[in-house]
């Protein structure tokens, strides 16, 4: 990918992020002026949902919503703001519940919602857990409410809410698949791709595409197969990249120590590739790290050295780029029927994502 194309994608993402962050702030300000319920617990939960939502993020889903609409309509259309708010509220729900499932103390450089409640109620762990679950549920229901309250035709509101309800259910199935993956035999590539599809691609890529097209008056059902394939390829490339960085990235770049998947015993793409490539003593090194909840830095370094000797790091990088190239090539086929500027974005986005920090 050329430097010029990468800069263009980065610039458009920044434009969407800056505008949306102001919109998100206004949304939560309006919610605060009409409290959802009486009582300090509900108010505190909304404050934590707000803090998590506004704490950061690339707002890639927001960009996808807008660019999907631009495939059809040259100018912004009604409903885009509500679609963007909905998809980011669903993301907040996912982050809160992910941190409960993974027992994660930190999210985006600050305490996770779960750990914020644990600090608030140190002597009542069950209360802290319950409140964190409810805060995540609140974000999920708000993501539907913002669509159902939108000043749009009833049929459009219903179609958009259906997309989000289906996406939410698929994502929960993805969480089940993600947890189940780490039990039993080492999963094959098809199984790993299925997890990536349900856990991330459907809500991070496919849902924004469908919402954006709906707002612009285009029925996404007629393009389901190609949109779903594009989303799956982008999602797989992104998850491969995340798993690669978890093992090989410089902690100074990622802000967290390498080897989190090893410590958690997760059968990620990187870990599965390592197990497939090694045998004998080298495989024992990987298996020992997987069964070690501490997995000290020197243990991670031994696994990294083993991976490099077997060429696993290079193969993973190529796999990331291959999925991105396939997604880019698929987007290029949209050019005859959809607007070229938006097609350019979808063509370049997977390549930009694949190259970041690799």
């Amino acid at each position: 990918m050329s430097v010029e194309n990468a800069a263009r994608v980065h610039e458009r993402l920044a434009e969407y992020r800056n505008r949306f962050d102001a919109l998100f702030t206004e949304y939560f300000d309006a919610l605060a002026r009409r409290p959802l319920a009486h009582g300090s617990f509900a108010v505190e939960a909304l404050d934590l949902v707000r803090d998590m939502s506004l704490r950061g993020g690339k707002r890639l889903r927001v960009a996808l919503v807008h660019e999907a609409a631009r495939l059809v309509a040259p100018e912004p259309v009604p409903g885009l703001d509500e679609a963007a708010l909905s998809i980011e509220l669903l993301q907040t729900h996912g982050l809160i519940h992910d941190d409960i499932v993974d027992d994660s103390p930190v999210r985006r450089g600050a305490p996770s919602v779960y750990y914020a409640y644990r600090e608030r109620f140190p002597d009542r762990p069950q209360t802290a857990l319950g409140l964190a679950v409810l805060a995540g549920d609140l974000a999920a229901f708000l993501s539907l409410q913002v669509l159902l309250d939108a000043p749009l035709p009833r049929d459009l509101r219903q179609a958009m809410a259906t997309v989000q309800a289906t996406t939410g259910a698929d994502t929960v199935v993805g969480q089940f698949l993600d947890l189940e993956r780490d039990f039993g035999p080492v999963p094959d590539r098809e199984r790993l791709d299925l997890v990536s599809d349900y856990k991330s691609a459907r809500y991070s890529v496919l849902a924004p595409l469908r919402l954006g097209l709906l707002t612009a008056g285009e029925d996404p059902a007629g393009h389901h197969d190609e949109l779903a394939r594009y989303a799956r390829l982008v999602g797989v490339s992104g998850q491969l990249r995340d798993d690669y960085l978890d093992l090989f990235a410089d902690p100074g770049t990622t802000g967290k120590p390498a080897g989190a998947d090893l410590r958690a015993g997760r059968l990620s793409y990187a870990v599965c590739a390592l197990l497939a490539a090694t045998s004998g003593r080298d495989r024992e090194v990987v298996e020992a790290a997987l069964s070690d909840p501490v997995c000290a830095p020197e243990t991670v370094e031994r696994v990294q050295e083993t991976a490099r000797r077997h060429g696993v790091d290079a193969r993973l990088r190529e796999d990331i780029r291959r999925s991105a190239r396939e997604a880019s090539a698929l987007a290029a086929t949209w050019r005859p029927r959809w607007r070229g500027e938006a097609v350019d974005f979808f063509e370049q986005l997977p390549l930009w994502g694949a190259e970041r920090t690799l």
Side-chain angles (χ1 to χ4, degrees), residues 302-321:
R302 284 197 296 272
V303 173
Q304 291 171 335
E305 192 275 331
T306 299
R308 292 189 177 101
R309 278 194 293 104
H310 288 272
V312 171
D313 57 331
R315 287 197 294 276
L316 284 169
R317 288 197 302 271
E318 177 53 30
D319 210 357
I320 293 165
R321 294 177 175 125

